[in-house]
Amino acid sequence: MIELRTPSEIDEMRESGRVVAKALAAVKDAAKVGSTLLELDQVARDVIFGAGATSPFLNYHPDWAPTPFPGVICASVNDAVVHGIPTDQVIEDGDLVSIDCGAVLKGWASDSAISFVVGTPRQEDLELIATTTAALEAGIAAAQVGNRLGDISAAIGRVARKAKVGNLEDHGGHGIGREMHGEPFIPNEGRAGKGLELKAGLVIALEPMFIHGGSGRYRHGEDGWTLYSRSRQRAAHVEHTIAITDDGPRILTLL
């Protein structure tokens, strides 16, 4: 069921979003050559729990997953696209790291993701991150009262096609509120003018996931969680939780 939120409820969700933004900023700052993914997970734990929030990722166990998720962040490196489990993997110079994080504060969930390069960057990685960020911005710009869900999906997909990057078209954003994942599902490709009409009070998380090259094909890792690009090309993932309002889209997961 799709629920619309009141302005006061959106204000409360903004506080949850601020916790996520702080956790992601702390993780990015702590990510150095030689850091482990588990160390980054601990950084995020300290921020989330220190703010009096809980993690919707920790012990999350959807039907398709073989085990509950063990971390408070998804940490995906290089050809890992999304859902990477934080392990003792050591970050190396030039690694492209994507971190997805959520928090629940006073009963309200928020969800956001960033991608960045640790150490010496490859120009193509910086371009991929910029393209993925541009797609998120395009999706947010389309999240206007009176538009359709397909307008958001089409805006994201248009950026991917223009840049000739792989797009996980069967993945995408989702509704969010009391639960981290809810209706509607928002694919990263679609037809403008189609789908649900967007109304004030709808809160959604948008999350483009792009891969170097033209293929969006992926495979599941042995852990049953991590998605890897089939081409073994690197990937980027960015996300914001936003509220659709009469004054335009409001990003809830900023510092």
Side-chain angles (χ1 to χ4, degrees):
M1 182 176 68
I2 296 174
E3 297 184 69
L4 301 180
R5 306 301 176 187
T6 66
S8 63
E9 289 175 332
I10 292 171
D11 287 341
E12 292 180 16
M13 292 189 72
R14 172 71 179 105
E15 295 309 307
S16 172
R18 188 174 281 110
V19 173
V20 174
K22 289 179 179 178
L24 288 172
V27 167
K28 184 178 181 181
D29 186 62
K32 311 294 183 184
V33 175
S35 302
T36 70
L37 302 184
L38 276 173
E39 289 171 343
L40 300 186
D41 187 74
Q42 186 60 54
V43 169
R45 287 174 188 251
D46 291 344
V47 173
I48 293 168
F49 299 143
T54 59
S55 169
F57 287 24
L58 186 61
N59 296 319
Y60 179 57
H61 196 182
D63 293 340
W64 51 264
T67 58
F69 195 79
V72 303
I73 61 171
C74 294
S76 308
V77 180
N78 295 332
D79 64 331
V81 187
V82 287
H83 303 158
I85 292 176
T87 65
D88 59 2
Q89 179 179 347
V90 174
I91 298 173
E92 299 181 359
D93 185 45
D95 278 349
L96 197 170
V97 180
S98 297
I99 303 292
D100 193 355
C101 183
V104 178
L105 183 66
K106 298 180 181 179
W108 295 105
S110 56
D111 191 9
S112 185
I114 58 174
S115 289
F116 54 89
V117 177
V118 177
T120 308
R122 302 180 185 182
Q123 183 60 33
E124 62 182 10
D125 289 344
L126 297 179
E127 291 173 357
L128 179 66
I129 293 170
T131 296
T132 313
T133 301
L136 175 59
E137 291 171 349
I140 292 172
Q144 303 283 348
V145 172
N147 277 0
R148 299 280 177 174
L149 209 60
D151 294 316
I152 297 175
S153 299
I156 292 171
R158 192 178 303 116
V159 174
R161 291 193 304 275
K162 182 177 180 180
K164 298 180 180 179
V165 295
N167 183 4
L168 273 67
E169 296 178 9
D170 60 344
H171 283 64
H174 50 88
I176 187 168
R178 293 293 185 183
E179 303 290 336
M180 180 172 62
H181 290 132
E183 297 180 358
F185 170 64
I186 308 157
N188 285 328
E189 180 60 277
R191 295 179 60 189
K194 300 294 183 180
L196 177 76
E197 182 179 355
L198 305 179
K199 297 182 179 180
L202 179 64
V203 182
I204 53 179
L206 304 182
E207 48 181 324
M209 312 159 195
F210 292 168
I211 302 170
H212 277 308
S215 174
R217 297 180 65 197
Y218 59 87
R219 63 179 178 85
H220 292 271
E222 293 182 0
D223 61 20
W225 277 96
T226 311
L227 297 187
Y228 293 91
S229 64
R230 281 192 174 273
S231 63
R232 300 186 181 276
Q233 295 278 5
R234 295 184 174 201
H237 171 214
V238 295
E239 177 181 18
H240 270 309
T241 295
I242 67 165
I244 296 173
T245 78
D246 288 323
D247 297 322
R250 180 183 178 189
I251 302 175
L252 305 182
T253 41
L254 292 173
L255 284 174

